Amino acid sequence: MNMASQTISINRKVITPLLLLPVWYIIYHFLKPATDWLIDDVFGMTAGSHLTEALRFFIFEVPKVLLLLTLIIFLVGIVRSYFSPEKTRKALEGKSLFTGNVLASLLGIVTPFCSCSAIPLFLGFVEAGIPIGVTFSFLIASPMINEVAIVLLFSMFGWKTAVIYVVSGLVIAIIAGWVIGRLNLRHWVQDWVYQSQFGNADTEGEKLKFTDRIQDGYNAVKEIVGKVWLYVVLGIAVGAGAHGYVPEDFMASLMGKSAWYSVPLSVIIGVPLYSNAAGIIPIVSVLIEKGASLGTALAFMMAVIGLSFPEMIILKKVLKLPFILTFAGIMAVGIMLVGFLFNLIM
Amino acid sequence: MEIKVLGTGCPKCKSLEKLTREVVEKNGIQATITKVEDITEIMKYHIMATPALVVNGKVEIKGRVPSAAEIKEVLSKY
């Protein structure tokens, strides 16, 4: 490629998203009136009937959630390109226990990490002398505070619920990691972990140009939105169906505030279920609409997203069974406390 | 050229292996491709995120699945 054509392609990569942004905003802004126009004027349906309202909900929510998802995932992709497991490890080296837990939980949100990399990451952290408790804060926060979940909570319940979710996830990751650190479970780590010497991973990251980072944003959209859009559509379809047809207080007796046992029950049901955030949140929104309390629904969601059997099976390679059970126990208790707390204050 | 794909068997690791084989075949590159699944072997390459692409002992890509074009570019250096 010669210099001129290179400059053009760079400009195009930066300018395209800038041009798309106002288009995005216009679509987002006129989505509500456009939906109403389509339902009331074009289809000429009777406002207020079950079918009309279910359809209105579906036609409005699907593009809204997908628009928000695309924008946020694009930005998250760019932000994440500034972080890497190596840099995170460097940042955590030599941090004292509590500070380390806080920092690890925060970095868990932004560091690109997939659960199949849990083992190399765990070993890399151990190798650098990062305490196990701090490592766990990272391993808990990373799946628990999920960007797709944030977008869905924001678009279905508003920013307050999204903030509550992020803060609770952080608090659980910090405290659970700290407790695991204090319990000193080193003897329940598989013996070979401390026997092997792998040498330090190089901390040198790839040098990226800003256009590469924008490309990372596109890739993240392609990968994540490409994977979850179907769940979003299905989840909203279920939500739309329940919207009009399931009685309002259907879940109130089972998952309402007055039923104290609902929180532990939700966690017990939620842990073995393994679903991605995109599938679970539209369901949670139905639960809440039908009388479940926010704390209970939040506990259910966190148990489903934050604790997964596949991840525990992966961790079995480096941790002995009692460690994994302790970990799951601490997480379950933490999630329940969050559930009780929000049932109490909301 | 000796190519190794490091990964414990997650979907991303499999897609990197498949993609690498395609690129090698399509461009008639002389190379042996091995998949390394043993975690202690993987850790010898000092990586903290899988999958990874190793060419002649050097880690070229780690923690993500690159595009076919990028793999081709990496391999063309050898």
Side-chain angles (χ1 to χ4, degrees):
Chain A
M1 226 190 279
N2 62 41
M3 278 304 282
S5 72
Q6 207 160 7
T7 323
I8 290 167
S9 80
I10 285 172
N11 282 340
R12 192 178 296 154
K13 265 193 183 152
V14 180
I15 287 169
T16 314
L18 286 177
L19 288 178
L20 283 174
L21 205 59
V23 177
W24 184 97
Y25 181 78
I26 289 168
I27 300 177
Y28 189 78
H29 190 76
F30 288 105
L31 206 53
K32 186 75 192 152
T35 309
D36 290 341
W37 172 76
L38 193 68
I39 296 279
D40 300 328
D41 300 340
V42 179
F43 295 166
M45 295 170 78
T46 335
S49 87
H50 283 338
L51 181 64
T52 310
E53 295 318 311
L55 200 63
R56 194 194 300 276
F57 179 81
F58 184 77
I59 292 180
F60 174 64
E61 286 293 328
V62 169
K64 185 183 100 178
V65 171
L66 291 179
L67 276 171
L68 278 170
L69 209 52
T70 307
L71 180 69
I72 302 295
I73 300 295
F74 178 69
L75 296 176
V76 166
I78 292 176
V79 169
R80 286 212 167 136
S81 73
Y82 290 94
F83 294 86
S84 71
E86 288 83 2
K87 281 187 200 162
T88 292
R89 185 174 75 162
K90 191 91 187 147
L92 292 175
E93 263 178 86
K95 291 283 179 298
S96 65
L97 205 53
F98 193 71
T99 320
N101 290 118
V102 175
L103 196 60
S105 305
L106 289 169
L107 286 168
I109 306 177
V110 286
T111 308
F113 166 75
C114 98
S115 65
C116 39
S117 289
I119 301 299
L121 187 115
F122 182 87
L123 294 172
F125 276 25
V126 165
E127 191 75 13
I130 293 165
I132 287 177
V134 174
T135 306
F136 262 89
S137 281
F138 181 91
L139 287 175
I140 293 166
S142 194
M144 180 93 101
I145 303 167
N146 177 299
E147 64 276 19
V148 176
I150 297 174
V151 173
L152 285 161
L153 285 176
F154 170 74
S155 59
M156 304 195 130
F157 302 107
W159 65 271
K160 272 186 195 161
T161 313
V163 170
I164 286 174
Y165 160 73
V166 173
V167 173
S168 331
L170 272 176
V171 170
I172 291 179
I174 292 166
I175 296 187
W178 184 78
V179 170
I180 288 172
R182 278 332 268 301
L183 286 176
N184 203 1
L185 302 176
R186 199 182 154 130
H187 51 285
W188 281 339
V189 173
Q190 302 283 11
D191 302 322
W192 67 271
V193 170
Y194 286 104
Q195 284 156 7
S196 358
Q197 289 295 321
F198 303 110
N200 267 325
D202 58 67
T203 43
E204 185 190 330
E206 294 169 280
K207 286 268 172 289
L208 291 176
K209 292 191 291 286
F210 191 68
T211 47
D212 293 331
R213 299 187 192 280
I214 289 178
Q215 187 60 47
D216 281 344
Y218 284 127
N219 291 347
V221 169
K222 213 168 84 183
E223 195 186 312
I224 297 176
V225 181
K227 199 168 62 186
V228 305
W229 72 270
L230 188 63
Y231 293 96
V232 170
V233 173
L234 286 175
I236 295 173
V238 171
H243 203 65
Y245 295 100
V246 180
E248 280 300 312
D249 50 359
F250 182 69
M251 293 305 293
S253 57
L254 201 63
M255 289 179 85
K257 254 185 201 184
S258 53
W260 67 269
Y261 53 83
S262 67
V263 173
L265 194 67
S266 305
V267 173
I268 290 168
I269 297 172
V271 171
L273 286 180
Y274 179 57
S275 152
N276 58 41
I280 203 70
I281 289 172
I283 294 173
V284 168
S285 89
V286 176
L287 294 180
I288 291 184
E289 204 184 279
K290 300 306 167 193
S293 60
L294 182 66
T296 307
L298 202 64
F300 177 67
M301 188 184 82
M302 286 185 149
V304 174
I305 308 176
L307 270 173
S308 74
F309 272 136
E311 198 188 326
M312 288 185 200
I313 291 166
I314 292 173
L315 284 174
K316 184 76 179 57
K317 279 186 195 158
V318 284
L319 303 173
K320 291 177 186 164
L321 193 61
F323 196 131
I324 292 178
L325 293 177
T326 312
F327 163 62
I330 292 171
M331 289 292 289
V333 170
I335 293 171
M336 275 183 226
L337 289 179
V338 166
F340 282 128
L341 185 70
F342 282 106
N343 277 351
L344 205 68
I345 61 173
M346 295 294 282
Chain B
M1 169 185 339
E2 201 192 345
I3 301 171
K4 282 182 179 156
V5 177
L6 315 183
T8 45
C10 54
K12 280 188 186 175
C13 312
K14 283 179 191 133
S15 61
L16 177 63
E17 187 192 6
K18 189 164 159 271
L19 204 58
T20 308
R21 288 193 190 278
E22 279 169 15
V23 171
V24 165
E25 203 169 309
K26 218 173 173 180
N27 298 285
I29 298 168
Q30 287 291 321
T32 55
I33 302 172
T34 23
K35 176 89 189 289
V36 182
E37 295 197 341
D38 181 49
I39 185 69
T40 47
E41 276 302 308
I42 291 175
M43 289 309 290
K44 286 181 185 157
Y45 291 93
H46 312 320
I47 56 161
M48 282 173 65
T50 51
L53 186 72
V54 174
V55 185
N56 290 351
K58 185 171 182 286
V59 179
E60 287 288 351
I61 285 159
K62 58 188 171 186
R64 62 196 172 90
V65 180
S67 64
E70 196 184 342
I71 298 180
K72 195 182 161 194
E73 200 188 312
V74 165
L75 297 183
S76 69
K77 290 193 296 183
Y78 290 86

